Amino acid sequence: MRAAIAASERVRGTTSPNPPVGAALLDAAGQLVGVGATRPPGGPHAEVVALAEAGERARGGTAVVTLEPCAHQGRTGPCALALIEAGVAEVVFATADPNPKAAGGAELLRAAGITVRQGLLAQDVERGPLRAWLHYARTGRPHVTWKYAASLDGRVAAADGTSRWISSADSRAQVHLLRRQVDAIVAGRGTVLADDPQLTARAEDGSPAERQPLRVVVGTGDLPPAARVLDDSAPTVHLRTNDPDEVLAELAARGVVDVLLEGGPRLAGGFLKSRRVDRALVYIAPKLLGAGPVALADAGVSTITQALHWSVEEVTMSGPDVRISAVPAEE
Amino acid sequence: MRAAIAASERVRGTTSPNPPVGAALLDAAGQLVGVGATRPPGGPHAEVVALAEAGERARGGTAVVTLEPCAHQGRTGPCALALIEAGVAEVVFATADPNPKAAGGAELLRAAGITVRQGLLAQDVERGPLRAWLHYARTGRPHVTWKYAASLDGRVAAADGTSRWISSADSRAQVHLLRRQVDAIVAGRGTVLADDPQLTARAEDGSPAERQPLRVVVGTGDLPPAARVLDDSAPTVHLRTNDPDEVLAELAARGVVDVLLEGGPRLAGGFLKSRRVDRALVYIAPKLLGAGPVALADAGVSTITQALHWSVEEVTMSGPDVRISAVPAEE
């Protein structure tokens, strides 16, 4: 399953609206004989890629897949059928397919006499490579990760607006990796006017990544034609609305499943007020500023009893910074 | 050493200006035969308390102490001498005494033929029970811990000023334990006027702890006579200055070694600007507010390159909250 997860991580950002699935094939003796991950839309699914590599060695072996093999005929044939035809003896998957059209793969496999086990490393997959897609499959809306970096005292920039760099090189590298893995980066028009960010995924040396997410600027009113977000380093759309649901519907229509929300405070406030942030990824740098803007404004909270309740999912160090991943608390 | 540390933890807040030291005595067979901790000023030191419990069983045994046994004659005799007279064969201590008047205990012991080992669990002791006293012994200034609780987006209260409760019951219980362990709690006059806090150490049911730290209000201008901080639940002093060094000198003169700074933002800013905060203890609650005051103001930073650089010492969970302990970065 670790090999399958690793394979799926490598294709994150290239498969939407399909899930980035990983598959590994073991022969009857338990040797790894094939690894695959979802190809871009229209291409083969992970199981089929892994089966092609394994060939006849798959017979009597085990397929390990991050997602329940699909049972429906889309642009490609059902993966469950491909596994049956290849003669695998056992299928192990991490998480079930919530999509009613595609689900039923496990039943199909069992009916063919194949041993089916579910749940291996399910949490790793559900919080990791399949997180956004599972959310999308359940709700029809793209998954929104709100990311920001702040000082220990909660400032996202100093009094004069400077913020390069609040967070460490490690944290910035993580964010650029995250940008490569998402389908779209969303920022408010105010942030574009104030900071003129390029919103691209770059390597440590500043060179652009091979794959760039869609850049999305949200807000009524025009953008300056010279804004860096309008350069030709990546596609950009400007959505002239402040309604998070309109933004998400428009992005879903463009095949976007995984969204990174990168500011500013009022845009984040609008998304939070509408309960349209699914995860917060906060980098807290051990610096103190004592003045300057904070990450969030106008979230519809005026007294402490109205506070939005979240829950910490994971705390890790990112170089010298503390990285907190949080999700809305179940209500 | 664990027993010695635990004993010293129990007397924190009762020994200043002496260090809260813990000692454990093992007999020649390695059995625990005595445990002691520093008694209030004028009373016996930890080693003497432990020796009294052990009696003749200390002969040929081992003394385990959190601090190098003292070699000077103060209100009590030198502990090194007491250990020599008791006939212990070995002394193990965590951290050396930085006080030139008291140091030399290790030499004295070695000269008497006793095996001396240093450094066992030194970091636990230096960051734990002896942290404040070691700072005081080195600098002559009380140790200042700046503590605050904020939402994930950095607010210490909601837009209307309400803050009960941002942090969890676990975190609040930790803070009341901390208040019991320090010598003084310092708050600004502005906080007293705005929030009317009582600044006492209380149990979960609201009942006051047996021992209360000195309450210190900092700032020129009078206090309302009905302020809760002036009630008779604990002693209170009002220091009519905004200069952190004047505050700390006045507190040192009163035998205060360990200070908890509890707000507000401008007082914290003044202490930070003067480099008079030695540790920040931040409780980050997984709540979002989007409006309301933040923890720190006027720290003398106007652009990002002037940011105060700190370093994260420890991150732990406190119930649902993230607790970050940070210290100024070495310069």
Side-chain angles (χ1 to χ4, degrees):
Chain A
M1 188 61 84
R2 300 262 177 228
I5 291 175
S8 76
E9 285 286 358
R10 282 192 290 274
V11 298
R12 277 177 83 168
T14 66
T15 65
S16 292
N18 294 330
V21 174
L25 274 164
L26 311 178
D27 65 15
Q31 287 292 313
L32 186 69
V33 291
V35 174
T38 315
R39 293 284 169 81
H45 289 183
E47 297 91 327
V48 175
V49 177
L51 282 171
E53 185 184 340
E56 265 309 300
R57 292 172 296 176
R59 194 159 300 277
T62 301
V64 183
V65 196
T66 58
L67 181 67
E68 179 184 1
C70 71
H72 82 310
Q73 179 75 42
R75 278 179 285 195
T76 61
C79 296
L81 212 59
L83 291 166
I84 293 167
E85 281 166 6
V88 303
E90 184 171 357
V91 172
V92 179
F93 64 87
T95 190
D97 193 325
N99 186 341
K101 271 202 305 191
E107 273 173 60
L108 210 61
L109 293 164
R110 280 201 190 94
I114 293 173
T115 304
V116 176
R117 289 194 300 138
Q118 174 180 352
L120 182 66
L121 296 183
Q123 184 174 292
D124 291 37
V125 167
E126 288 164 12
R127 288 185 178 179
L130 287 184
R131 177 184 203 123
W133 183 82
L134 288 169
H135 172 87
Y136 172 75
R138 288 182 189 122
T139 66
R141 290 190 307 267
H143 180 277
V144 176
T145 298
W146 171 41
K147 171 250 134 190
Y148 65 92
S151 63
L152 192 54
D153 60 320
R155 316 284 185 170
V156 298
D160 65 352
T162 51
S163 64
R164 295 186 181 189
W165 301 104
I166 280 190
S167 62
S168 66
D170 293 282
S171 299
R172 299 197 304 274
Q174 273 193 23
V175 168
H176 281 282
L177 174 63
L178 189 61
R179 284 181 174 180
R180 276 216 300 281
Q181 292 182 332
V182 299
D183 301 317
I185 302 178
V186 173
R189 180 174 164 269
T191 296
V192 169
L193 296 181
D195 299 344
D196 195 20
Q198 195 178 15
L199 298 180
T200 51
R202 295 182 296 279
E204 233 173 296
D205 62 7
S207 62
E210 204 176 313
R211 212 204 124 262
Q212 293 292 339
L214 178 67
R215 301 181 290 190
V216 182
V217 182
V218 169
T220 57
D222 293 337
L223 299 177
R228 295 171 73 211
V229 76
L230 297 177
D231 68 16
D232 57 6
S233 57
T236 301
V237 296
H238 176 194
L239 301 180
R240 292 171 184 271
T241 172
N242 287 310
D243 179 342
D245 280 320
E246 279 181 31
V247 171
L248 294 179
E250 176 61 32
L251 292 179
R254 289 165 185 262
V256 166
V257 168
D258 201 355
V259 168
L260 188 62
L261 183 64
E262 290 219 37
R266 236 158 293 272
L267 181 65
F271 270 76
L272 282 161
K273 210 187 303 189
S274 307
R275 307 293 189 269
R276 291 294 177 261
V277 177
D278 306 301
R279 181 190 190 194
L281 203 52
V282 184
Y283 291 86
I284 297 176
K287 293 181 180 163
L288 292 167
L289 291 168
V294 295
L296 179 62
D298 301 343
V301 175
S302 58
T303 189
I304 191 73
T305 52
Q306 298 170 343
L308 307 182
H309 284 68
W310 281 51
S311 143
V312 172
E313 185 182 65
E314 191 188 56
V315 181
T316 49
M317 296 303 292
S318 166
D321 306 334
V322 178
R323 190 187 88 144
I324 300 178
S325 174
V327 294
E330 316 260 328
E331 274 162 17
Chain B
M1 188 61 83
R2 301 260 177 232
I5 291 175
S8 76
E9 285 285 359
R10 283 192 290 273
V11 298
R12 278 176 82 167
T14 66
T15 66
S16 293
N18 294 330
V21 174
L25 274 164
L26 312 178
D27 66 14
Q31 287 292 313
L32 186 69
V33 291
V35 175
T38 315
R39 292 284 168 81
H45 290 183
E47 297 91 327
V48 175
V49 177
L51 282 170
E53 184 184 340
E56 265 310 300
R57 292 171 297 177
R59 194 159 300 277
T62 301
V64 183
V65 196
T66 58
L67 180 68
E68 179 183 0
C70 70
H72 81 310
Q73 178 75 42
R75 276 178 286 197
T76 63
C79 296
L81 212 59
L83 291 165
I84 294 167
E85 281 168 6
V88 303
E90 184 172 356
V91 172
V92 179
F93 63 87
T95 191
D97 193 324
N99 187 340
K101 272 202 303 190
E107 275 173 59
L108 210 61
L109 293 164
R110 281 202 189 92
I114 294 175
T115 304
V116 176
R117 290 194 300 136
Q118 172 180 354
L120 183 65
L121 295 184
Q123 185 174 292
D124 291 38
V125 167
E126 289 164 11
R127 289 186 178 179
L130 287 184
R131 176 183 204 123
W133 183 83
L134 287 169
H135 171 87
Y136 172 75
R138 288 180 189 123
T139 66
R141 290 190 306 268
H143 180 277
V144 177
T145 297
W146 171 41
K147 170 252 136 190
Y148 65 91
S151 63
L152 191 54
D153 60 321
R155 316 283 185 171
V156 298
D160 65 350
T162 51
S163 63
R164 297 192 179 185
W165 300 104
I166 280 189
S167 61
S168 65
D170 293 282
S171 299
R172 299 197 305 273
Q174 273 193 23
V175 168
H176 281 282
L177 175 62
L178 188 61
R179 284 181 174 179
R180 274 215 301 279
Q181 294 183 331
V182 298
D183 300 317
I185 303 178
V186 173
R189 180 172 165 269
T191 296
V192 169
L193 296 181
D195 299 344
D196 195 20
Q198 196 178 13
L199 297 179
T200 50
R202 294 183 296 279
E204 234 173 297
D205 63 5
S207 63
E210 203 176 313
R211 210 203 126 263
Q212 293 292 341
L214 178 68
R215 301 182 291 189
V216 182
V217 182
V218 169
T220 57
D222 292 338
L223 298 177
R228 296 172 70 210
V229 77
L230 297 176
D231 68 16
D232 57 6
S233 56
T236 301
V237 296
H238 176 194
L239 301 179
R240 292 172 184 269
T241 171
N242 288 310
D243 179 342
D245 279 320
E246 280 182 29
V247 171
L248 294 179
E250 176 61 32
L251 292 179
R254 290 167 185 260
V256 166
V257 167
D258 201 355
V259 168
L260 188 62
L261 182 65
E262 291 220 37
R266 237 159 292 271
L267 182 64
F271 271 75
L272 281 162
K273 211 187 304 189
S274 307
R275 306 293 189 270
R276 290 296 178 257
V277 178
D278 305 301
R279 181 191 189 194
L281 203 53
V282 184
Y283 291 86
I284 297 176
K287 292 180 181 164
L288 292 167
L289 291 168
V294 295
L296 179 63
D298 300 344
V301 176
S302 58
T303 190
I304 190 74
T305 52
Q306 298 171 343
L308 308 182
H309 284 67
W310 282 50
S311 142
V312 173
E313 183 182 66
E314 190 188 57
V315 181
T316 49
M317 296 301 295
S318 167
D321 305 336
V322 177
R323 191 187 88 144
I324 300 178
S325 173
V327 294
E330 316 261 327
E331 274 163 19

